[in-house]
Amino acid sequence: MPNKNNYEKSFSVNVRRLRKKLNITQKSLADAIGYSEKTVSKWETVGSVPSIEALFRVANIFRVSILELFRCDDAIYYLGIDGGGTKTEFALSDPNGKIVCRLFMDGCNPNTVGIERAKCIIEDGVVQVCKDVPLSSVVVYAGIAGCASESYADEIKIMLEKMSFAACDVGSDNNNIVAAGLGDNEGITMILGTGICAYVVKKEETKRIAGWGYLFDNGGSSFHIGRDAINAYFSAYDGSGEETTLVQRIKETFSYSNSEFLKYLYNGGNKLVSSYAMYVFEEAEKGDRVSIAILKKHIAEIARLVRASLSHFSTYNERIPIILGGGLTNQKLLLPYLTDELGNDIKKCNIQVLDVPPVNGALELAKSLWRKRNNNE
């Protein structure tokens, strides 16, 4: 725990910082709270701590909590949140940048689970991962799938602000990949997970391509691949398709009737359907023709989005960095199939799979948020 001297030093620094932020003099502050200018000067220089009554008055003038008056910037923690359709990852780093806690929870895309459920998942995760750290000493950035929508982002940000973090912000999960993979450079990012989305990142613009949700995207995600795998199973059952090893693999996942299986799938939602994508990759490796056809169909859609993204760099002479993130990047057939599908266009690309968790990008954005706040103050 901080000792008395640390409390006094933090109070001194914060009173001076907050007073200057409001652009008021020591005398104006003193008059507003009924103290002398000499006393306020003593708070800011010697670092003495006033009575609890005075603390409440000062906090009220600055419109902050009393905790904020004693916050020590040398002890700021950073929380990154990466929320997708299948899982949400939380990572808390200490002031030295060491990750001290990492947590996984269910997906929190509000388009999939609803905004109230999304907020519950995020709040529960925050409480668990920050259980040993006061939230007033934590800066958080939450990159959440579906939060390209300002209304969803605003609702989640309001919830976080009520938790009294030192600072917080909310945006799309793609921002995490941009920060982790591109940093300040131009290029293209693609999320290939439960959903699919590409972003063109240039100094003058950031443009989204696809990412409209499973009802409206054309394919290329684990949901779409898993859906086609399940369709292949039911097509074999009704005689409109052929029974291959892919169908056998799906049969092994349940032990009840087809009607019960169908009910199970609908109840399981996007996350469950997406889980069947791995069988397509595994059976394609073994030469299953139905699996190979499904993969080629969806890799073609990914390639189409790559080409659409590259068109925004038509005047560039160098190869464009393309950072791929998401669960599908763990499948070893993805890159060979994509390279083959792109043909000569591969020469325009420098394709890289993100080699760190996207939540690391959220941590970088939290640190950047704190730097900007302090610079503004």
Side-chain angles (χ1 to χ4, degrees), residues 136-149:
S136 59
S137 297
V138 177
V139 177
V140 58
Y141 184 87
I144 309 296
C147 280
S149 163

Side-chain angles (χ1 to χ4, degrees), residues 67-83:
L67 284 174
E68 179 78 2
L69 296 177
F70 291 94
R71 189 193 73 213
C72 176
D73 286 356
D74 292 336
I76 286 292
Y77 284 69
Y78 299 97
L79 174 61
I81 304 175
D82 180 61

Side-chain angles (χ1 to χ4, degrees), residues 138-142 156-162 165-170 369 373:
V138 177
V139 177
V140 58
Y141 184 87
I156 293 172
K157 186 172 181 180
I158 289 170
M159 179 198 73
L160 293 175
E161 286 174 340
K162 289 180 179 177
F165 286 103
C168 64
D169 201 6
V170 179
L369 174 64
R373 170 172 168 159

Side-chain angles (χ1 to χ4, degrees), residues 102-119:
R102 195 182 289 271
L103 174 72
F104 292 93
M105 295 192 70
D106 288 340
C108 66
N109 183 337
N111 287 321
T112 303
V113 302
I115 185 61
E116 294 306 319
R117 175 61 180 156
K119 289 193 290 185

